[in-house]
Amino acid sequence: MVLSRHIQLVIGDITEQDTDVVVNAANSSLLGGGGVDGAIHRKGGPEILAECRALRASKYGRGLPTGQAVATTAGRLPAKWVVHTVGPVWSEHEDRSELLANCHRNSLGVAVSLGAKTVAFPAISTGIFGWPLKSAAKIALTTVLDTDAPGVEAVRFVLFDETAFDVFSDVLTKLHRE
Ligand code: ADP
């Protein structure tokens, strides 16, 4: 584990983060949705959607596959770029953990290619996609700690409420003790 990587946990709104990259919990259409996705497009303005449409018209004609990540402008957001990634929908019958890990790995990979020093993640898949918070927190935090991301100095998890913040804090504390 890269325990030296600085991990920050905050309660807040992903659209207000001044990190170089904010990660969007997008859906595969890339054309907007609810939750984080809706908030990013609402506050970021039409430039983000325009770039998403261009991506649909070129590289991602069938949409962005689950677990992959792609960057656009951040429009009017304080961040420099939005990295869109599609989390897996929670399933009781199938283990999709690797896809959720891929979201974090691939988003960090895109951040590295952009030269980003700071990256903010929401709790991907834990909203409309129904992933249980504790499990999502374990996957998100272990993957970020395990992924080599040269140049990325800080990764911030932006949790929307105190419950999510407490779960992420507990999981992070336990990981540091292991
Ligand atoms: P998914 O479809 O991947 O489940 P959602 O956007 O529905 O994504 O939710 C992901 C998580 O982000 C949920 O825990 C939700 O409470 C939280 N969330 C929703 N809006 C925001 C926001 N503006 N900033 C940060 N987190 C948010």
Side-chain angles (χ1 to χ4, degrees):
M1 274 196 193
V2 198
L3 282 176
S4 55
R5 167 147 320 127
H6 199 55
I7 294 214
Q8 305 164 340
L9 305 180
V10 299
I11 298 179
D13 184 330
I14 193 87
T15 64
E16 288 169 10
Q17 306 305 310
D18 60 357
T19 42
D20 293 333
V21 160
V22 294
V23 176
N24 181 17
N27 62 55
S28 65
S29 80
L30 287 175
L31 301 178
V36 168
D37 203 10
I40 283 180
H41 283 288
R42 243 187 338 269
K43 285 211 193 160
E47 272 181 59
I48 301 177
L49 192 58
E51 285 196 19
C52 286
R53 287 218 170 94
L55 286 166
R56 281 302 303 273
S58 55
K59 193 170 173 194
Y60 296 108
R62 297 170 151 216
L64 182 65
T66 305
Q68 293 194 25
V70 66
T72 66
T73 173
R76 295 179 202 141
L77 299 178
K80 292 190 186 137
W81 300 281
V82 174
V83 171
H84 306 262
T85 189
V86 183
V89 175
W90 165 254
S91 165
E92 275 183 24
H93 312 291
E94 191 184 36
D95 183 5
R96 299 177 179 166
S97 306
E98 209 44 36
L99 289 169
L100 187 55
N102 283 346
C103 287
H104 294 83
R105 266 183 219 122
N106 290 328
S107 296
L108 284 175
V110 172
V112 169
S113 71
L114 294 166
K117 290 197 171 77
T118 52
V119 178
F121 280 95
I124 298 168
S125 287
T126 66
I128 296 157
F129 286 177
W131 204 291
L133 259 176
K134 189 170 173 191
S135 164
K138 261 189 206 157
I139 295 163
L141 289 164
T142 50
T143 305
V144 166
L145 288 168
D146 280 342
T147 302
D148 192 29
V152 176
E153 291 164 5
V155 174
R156 182 182 302 168
F157 284 91
V158 182
L159 293 325
F160 211 36
D161 58 27
E162 214 164 306
T163 308
F165 177 84
D166 289 347
V167 171
F168 270 70
S169 300
D170 284 353
V171 171
L172 186 60
T173 307
K174 283 190 189 118
L175 285 174
H176 277 119
R177 275 204 224 108
E178 273 169 11

